[in-house]
């Protein structure tokens, strides 16, 4: 149901801890790993419906901070070198963490396009076979110090067939960090419409 998708976007506040060094990203044989800006301290874990991970974010002046990201999801943890912090199901619905750069701006003031460009870049989760197109920001809401976006965009399959997706993005900026952590939850537009109708 669409409700299952929406329950996967509740990102908790992040806690900066001790300075840390970034860990290099890895790749998966036959497919380039997406560039999500995620540097894990250790592998993501899942206990029941709760998925969590410690990752490195920028604290400015070349200093790294450790932030803890936690969210609830009904989907299983995606495992393997291709994934960082992600849950997904067999139908292609997924929720993953991405680190965004603000370039000195604040999360509540930065244009939505700045965040969307990083989510929909050719090097990102949805750009394996070409950059997403027909990108639309359907909703943009500031919730205190957090930000929530709803998006629509078109991706390409390995056979170059087009597929429209809908996504909800929850973003928070860890205290003391120049980075933003985004939880991106998406499904195909067909499943979004079908499951949304059933949930209603």
């Amino acid at each position: 149901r669409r409700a299952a998708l929406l329950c996967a976007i509740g990102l908790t506040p992040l806690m900066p801890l001790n300075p840390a060094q970034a860990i290099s990203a890895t790749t998966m044989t036959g497919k380039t790993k997406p560039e999500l800006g995620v540097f894990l301290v250790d592998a993501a874990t899942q206990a029941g419906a709760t998925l969590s991970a410690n990752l490195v974010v920028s604290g400015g002046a070349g200093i790294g901070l450790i932030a803890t990201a936690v969210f609830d999801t009904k989907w299983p943890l995606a495992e393997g070198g291709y994934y960082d912090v992600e849950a997904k199901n067999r139908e292609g619905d997924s929720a993953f963490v991405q680190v965004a750069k603000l370039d000195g701006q604040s999360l509540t003031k930065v244009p939505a396009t700045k965040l969307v460009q990083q989510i929909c870049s050719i090097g990102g989760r949805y750009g394996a076979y070409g950059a997403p197109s027909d990108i639309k920001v359907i909703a943009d809401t500031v919730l205190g110090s957090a930000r929530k976006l709803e998006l629509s965009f078109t991706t390409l399959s390995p056979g170059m067939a087009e597929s429209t997706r809908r996504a909800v993005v929850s973003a928070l900026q860890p205290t003391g960090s120049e980075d933003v952590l985004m939880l991106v939850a998406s499904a195909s537009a067909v499943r979004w419409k079908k499951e949304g109708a059933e949930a209603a």
Side-chain angles (χ1 to χ4, degrees), residues 108-148:
T108 56
K109 300 295 185 181
V110 68
T113 52
K114 178 74 174 180
L115 303 176
V116 174
Q117 286 171 356
Q118 295 178 69
I119 295 169
C120 294
S121 72
I122 194 168
R125 164 62 70 232
Y126 305 111
Y129 306 104
S133 60
D134 300 325
I135 303 167
K136 298 180 178 65
V137 179
I138 299 170
D140 179 6
T141 307
V142 174
L143 304 168
S145 60
R147 190 93 171 257
K148 185 175 180 178

Side-chain angles (χ1 to χ4, degrees), residues 67-175:
T68 300
V70 182
F71 64 94
D72 289 336
T73 175
K74 296 175 69 175
W75 308 327
L77 173 67
E79 299 180 311
Y82 184 74
Y83 304 100
D84 292 313
V85 186
E86 182 165 344
K88 61 184 302 184
N89 64 15
R90 295 180 179 178
E91 288 73 30
D93 306 336
S94 67
F96 63 90
V97 173
Q98 180 169 351
V99 178
K101 301 295 183 182
L102 294 181
D103 296 332
Q105 301 181 74
S106 68
L107 174 59
T108 56
K109 300 295 185 181
V110 68
T113 52
K114 178 74 174 180
L115 303 176
V116 174
Q117 286 171 356
Q118 295 178 69
I119 295 169
C120 294
S121 72
I122 194 168
R125 164 62 70 232
Y126 305 111
Y129 306 104
S133 60
D134 300 325
I135 303 167
K136 298 180 178 65
V137 179
I138 299 170
D140 179 6
T141 307
V142 174
L143 304 168
S145 60
R147 190 93 171 257
K148 185 175 180 178
L149 306 175
E150 186 171 337
L151 313 176
S152 173
F153 53 90
T154 299
T155 61
L156 292 174
S157 71
M160 307 309 287
E162 293 187 342
S163 174
T164 301
R165 296 188 70 84
R166 293 285 297 272
V168 174
V169 181
S170 289
L172 286 172
Q173 186 169 14
T175 302

Side-chain angles (χ1 to χ4, degrees), residues 33-56:
K33 182 176 180 178
E35 299 172 1
L36 303 179
V38 173
F39 298 95
L40 291 170
V41 176
D42 42 34
T45 61
Q46 187 170 25
T50 301
L51 192 153
S52 62
N54 294 319
L55 54 156
V56 179

